[in-house]
Amino acid sequence: MLSILVGVLVMLVKMGLVLAVVFGLAAYMILLERKLLGRMQVRYGPNRVGIFGLLQPIADGLKMLLKEDIIPDGVDRRIFLIAPAIVAGTALFAFAVVPFGPDFTVFGVTIRQVIADANVGLLVIFGLSSLAVYGVALGGWTSDNKYSLLGGLRGAAQMISYELALGLSLVPVVMLSHSLSLSDIVAAQARLPFALLQPVAFAIFIVSALAETNRIPFDLPEAENELQAGYHTEYSGMRFALFFVGEYVNMILLGSITAVFFLGGWHGPFLPPIVWFMLKVLAVPVFLIWTRASLPRLRYDQLMAVGWKFLVPLGLVNILVTGAILAAGM
Amino acid sequence: MEDKNDKPGLLREVVDGATGIIGSYAATLTHLFRKPVTEQYPEYKRPMPARTRGRIILTRSPDGKERCVACYLCSGVCPVNCISMQSEEGPDSRRRAAWFRINFARCIYCGLCEEACPTLAIQLTPEFAFSKDSIEAFVYEKEDLLVDHGGKDPDYDFYAHAGVAAGRPKGEHIGEDEPVDVKSILP
């Protein structure tokens, strides 16, 4: 009885911690992006609220809360209200299977630094990222606005297409680690991260993950200059903020799964595991921001061509080569 | 097989594409370490050019008297009709404005009033930051507009050059000939 209570307590604390850290990181990721983009464009970025503008995320949050929340006439109310929650929710749920560090023991209780070590963790992440398409597509469709609809359609097509390449790039990882559990995948990289063993898969993963998070140069669902704001044109106030924060939570999630699948998770010399994990997680969003400052947006047909004609075949060939080498090794 | 004259090879395309992408990443990275060129406005106020068209003032002549003679030219030329006034005669028998009003909420800072003014009384200053909480506060009366200096042209004195004999007798103005005694030039 007591052990169950302790287990529930530990689980609640872990969930609370992860939620707080992820939301905090997402808020400050927005600040980091604005700051970094500013410096790359030879300007300062936000520096008015607090020292170095550190209170900017709080000011932004307050502003979003106090803004009028408009629900246009003619929208499908229920779906309109749910869509942002789907985007933010699916991104948050995926953190349940991400391992943050090795097990440790406190007062005789072994604590695993993962909320739920599902033995199909990889499939859980894929399932949730497929569900995220619903948020974008429904948000665009339900808004009763042609631009939003176009943005939502583009988003759905793009996310589904790149989901395939993403899946194919992770097959070699599963082949090498013999497991779908994220903890086992991290354990398999104790000596060498998969980024070095599978550079091609890593490259495909990064490119298609960029497209999955709708980041520049693949931000066609938003495409401010042709679609106003794309699928979230009609959203305002906190509902828009949910879409927005969802994007940044997605960036952090992307950082975590990149760290888990390719960068060796929490493994690393000298520093404590959780620090290594955080460093690897943060490296990916910084790279995404750097990419945003550097590359122009692709045309839609170019985007689709890269996905279907290049990344998917390359992923298949990579799987074949990996399989052949593994078979030869045995 | 033979049409390889202007189509670059695959390797060439890959190298070109890669250098292009790496080049743009390198460019943003080098810019990251440059000093931003942004002017931090409230802390650093850039000196504005003297002819910047900002807030409007009414200036005074070197002898400290009002330059404005209430001729209505600025009010007439104003494209948004934001200037209004009433003329009267002052104690020194000079014309002047009984009241003078500019509605800055309507003013478009075109500078036509300054162009039209024969006495250089109305002038635009480089001051541009005077926002208000209420729109009524943008209506400036003569007391608010009048300053105690000559603005851009401090030495100019309208009554020294022209005007009725309010300040000086006939023939005393700068560049003015002696009054002609018409009887002396009769045949």
Side-chain angles (χ1 to χ4, degrees):
Chain A
M1 187 61 207
L2 190 70
S3 68
I4 295 176
L5 270 180
V6 169
V8 168
L9 194 69
V10 167
M11 183 61 82
L12 283 178
V13 167
K14 278 199 288 193
M15 288 198 286
L17 260 180
V18 170
L19 202 65
V21 168
V22 166
F23 265 123
L25 266 184
Y28 276 90
M29 195 68 72
I30 297 171
L31 182 69
L32 178 74
E33 166 146 42
R34 293 176 64 187
K35 279 276 194 191
L36 268 182
L37 278 181
R39 295 310 290 248
M40 284 176 179
Q41 293 158 2
V42 205
R43 55 185 177 83
Y44 284 102
N47 62 355
R48 293 287 136 181
V49 197
I51 35 162
F52 302 120
L54 281 176
L55 298 179
Q56 185 72 38
I58 296 161
D60 285 343
L62 276 176
K63 187 189 86 175
M64 287 294 192
L65 271 175
L66 296 174
K67 275 204 169 187
E68 188 184 358
D69 185 17
I70 299 164
I71 302 175
D73 272 355
V75 304
D76 189 322
R77 269 186 92 88
R78 244 181 328 159
I79 300 177
F80 186 81
L81 301 187
I82 289 171
I86 297 179
V87 170
T90 51
L92 277 176
F93 286 145
F95 280 98
V97 293
V98 174
F100 303 102
D103 304 349
F104 65 95
T105 312
V106 189
F107 301 121
V109 183
T110 307
I111 295 177
R112 314 200 58 190
Q113 290 193 47
V114 50
I115 291 174
D117 183 22
N119 56 4
V120 287
L122 195 145
L123 294 185
V124 170
I125 284 183
F126 264 85
L128 284 168
S129 89
S130 311
L131 279 179
V133 180
Y134 279 99
V136 171
L138 289 178
W141 170 76
T142 190
S143 290
D144 195 27
N145 174 337
K146 292 181 185 69
Y147 290 110
S148 301
L149 178 62
L150 272 175
L153 281 179
R154 279 189 186 195
Q158 168 184 334
M159 288 165 89
I160 290 170
S161 303
Y162 277 81
E163 188 105 21
L164 285 174
L166 197 71
L168 289 177
S169 76
L170 288 181
V171 172
V173 170
V174 177
M175 287 162 82
L176 287 172
S177 60
H178 304 289
S179 173
L180 290 170
S181 156
L182 269 55
S183 303
D184 294 350
I185 291 175
V186 171
Q189 298 176 76
R191 254 184 298 154
L192 202 59
F194 285 151
L196 299 177
L197 277 176
Q198 285 285 343
V200 178
F202 183 52
I204 300 173
F205 178 83
I206 285 291
V207 173
S208 35
L210 258 173
E212 277 289 291
T213 44
N214 302 329
R215 295 276 308 173
I216 289 169
F218 302 113
D219 65 333
L220 290 137
E222 291 171 31
E224 288 99 1
N225 30 13
E226 22 336 343
L227 293 181
Q228 300 179 10
Y231 60 90
H232 53 54
T233 305
E234 299 293 346
Y235 283 87
S236 54
M238 217 50 206
R239 252 174 267 285
F240 169 75
L242 263 184
F243 271 129
F244 201 72
V245 167
E247 187 186 321
Y248 285 84
V249 171
N250 246 323
M251 275 166 76
I252 298 164
L253 174 68
L254 179 64
S256 335
I257 63 175
T258 312
V260 165
F261 290 140
F262 287 103
L263 301 180
W266 39 263
H267 289 296
F270 311 125
L271 296 171
I274 191 72
V275 175
W276 265 113
F277 187 75
M278 286 306 265
L279 282 178
K280 289 170 180 176
V281 166
L282 288 178
V284 175
V286 169
F287 175 74
L288 295 190
I289 294 166
W290 188 12
T291 307
R292 175 170 176 182
S294 305
L295 299 182
R297 179 184 298 138
L298 266 72
R299 221 168 52 211
Y300 196 70
D301 60 315
Q302 290 171 333
L303 168 95
M304 281 303 183
V306 168
W308 286 101
K309 293 183 183 166
F310 182 67
L311 291 181
V312 170
L314 189 66
L316 285 171
V317 170
N318 191 34
I319 293 169
L320 282 179
V321 171
T322 309
I325 291 172
L326 278 180
M330 280 197 271
Chain B
M1 205 66 185
E2 292 303 312
D3 56 38
K4 56 183 175 186
N5 31 12
D6 56 347
K7 246 197 157 180
L10 180 68
L11 191 68
R12 177 98 215 142
E13 259 186 60
V14 168
V15 169
D16 279 357
T19 47
I21 288 177
I22 291 168
S24 56
Y25 274 100
T28 44
L29 191 65
T30 52
H31 279 75
L32 184 61
F33 299 105
R34 276 194 204 166
K35 192 171 161 41
V37 296
T38 321
E39 283 170 2
Q40 302 274 55
Y41 168 63
E43 291 88 34
Y44 170 71
K45 293 195 168 87
R46 179 159 52 128
M48 302 296 279
R51 288 178 61 186
T52 311
R53 298 197 299 252
R55 189 170 74 88
I56 297 172
I57 52 171
L58 285 175
T59 57
R60 287 179 191 271
S61 56
D63 57 10
K65 290 184 173 155
E66 291 171 26
R67 272 178 174 163
C68 178
V69 294
C71 65
Y72 297 95
L73 281 179
C74 52
S75 171
V77 79
C78 181
V80 290
N81 292 333
C82 69
I83 305 176
S84 48
M85 72 191 79
Q86 177 66 55
S87 72
E88 69 170 9
E89 193 171 288
D92 52 356
S93 72
R94 280 189 184 186
R95 263 175 76 98
R96 68 169 190 199
W99 50 265
F100 193 104
R101 189 176 295 148
I102 298 182
N103 183 354
F104 279 110
R106 296 183 69 167
C107 180
I108 57 170
Y109 306 96
C110 61
L112 288 183
C113 48
E114 188 178 14
E115 299 272 335
C117 185
T119 67
L120 304 190
I122 192 164
Q123 292 184 8
L124 279 78
T125 61
E127 184 191 345
F128 59 88
F130 60 112
S131 53
K132 303 269 184 287
D133 287 333
S134 104
I135 202 156
E136 284 91 26
F138 278 111
V139 178
Y140 276 46
E141 296 294 339
K142 187 172 165 186
E143 308 79 81
D144 312 317
L145 295 164
L146 206 57
V147 295
D148 55 358
H149 56 81
K152 288 172 221 178
D153 214 334
D155 300 327
Y156 179 75
D157 186 357
F158 172 74
Y159 279 103
H161 289 272
V164 292
R168 340 166 155 231
K170 281 190 175 176
E172 299 278 301
H173 296 110
I174 297 168
E176 188 187 28
D177 292 334
E178 286 283 312
V180 175
D181 182 3
V182 284
K183 286 178 182 156
S184 72
I185 55 172
L186 283 172

